[in-house]
Amino acid sequence: MRRISWILAALSVTVLAGALFAQNFAAEPLYGTYNLNTGFTPDPQAVSVQAGGETDAAALGLVDPTGGPCRGYIAVAQPDVRLNFTSGTTFPLRLYVQSTSDTTLLVNMPDATWRCNDDAVGLNPVVDIPVGAVQSGQYDIWVGTYNPGTPAAATLHFTELTSNGPTP
């Protein structure tokens, strides 16, 4: 009987440990919270971040409905950036990263779905949300690196202009 109790306790710790590695949406973002309304200026808005982490996004089972599993290594304890966005009906929303390193972008949408990208323009990721799909609400954003344990200086941008984007 004691052996069964010990096994159940060990299984509980294993299950709870897995939950500890999930993204914490209640945590304060590392690089701040930004509140924007459609039509914001200046456009684009830029946020400097340190990309990367030790957790493989693919191992977390994160999937972008438009492109398969999310890639990159992220710090899961908290988002890098939070965007509270009030959308309109006129503009799309584009999030992109500019870096000299190979970076990835993971976005948890207000409806709890994921959008992610790797290498849209050179080694820089872009997540495009078209007119009609842009949601008002909280966007939690992680900027990852393609290689584990390789932090990289990067700049995350928010724009409503599809002419704005990273350079290769």
Side-chain angles (χ1 to χ4, degrees):
M1 187 61 141
R2 284 167 49 102
R3 184 175 189 88
I4 292 172
S5 296
W6 183 84
I7 291 170
L8 289 175
L11 286 173
S12 297
V13 168
T14 302
V15 169
L16 289 174
L20 292 175
F21 290 109
Q23 296 78 13
N24 184 350
F25 302 104
E28 286 298 314
L30 282 171
Y31 302 100
T33 298
Y34 297 82
N35 301 303
L36 297 175
N37 297 316
T38 193
F40 61 86
T41 58
D43 185 342
Q45 296 275 318
V47 182
S48 294
V49 300
Q50 186 77 16
E54 297 294 328
T55 302
D56 184 356
L60 297 173
L62 305 179
V63 176
D64 181 326
T66 65
C70 296
R71 292 184 166 78
Y73 288 84
I74 60 172
V76 295
Q78 62 204 100
D80 290 319
V81 175
R82 177 167 295 135
L83 171 63
N84 293 316
F85 189 69
T86 303
S87 68
T89 58
T90 309
F91 298 109
L93 181 61
R94 171 177 275 186
L95 294 84
Y96 66 93
V97 175
Q98 183 73 53
S99 179
T100 58
S101 297
D102 191 355
T103 52
T104 64
L105 183 59
L106 292 84
V107 180
N108 186 255
M109 305 284 288
D111 66 359
T113 60
W114 287 90
R115 299 279 179 103
C116 47
N117 186 258
D118 176 34
D119 299 343
V121 179
L123 299 177
N124 295 302
V126 176
V127 168
D128 281 319
I129 306 163
V131 173
V134 180
Q135 305 166 33
S136 291
Q138 178 176 306
Y139 292 75
D140 287 308
I141 304 158
W142 284 261
V143 181
T145 55
Y146 196 75
N147 297 311
T150 309
T155 305
L156 171 66
H157 296 85
F158 309 122
T159 185
E160 292 181 308
L161 305 173
T162 56
S163 58
N164 289 335
T167 56

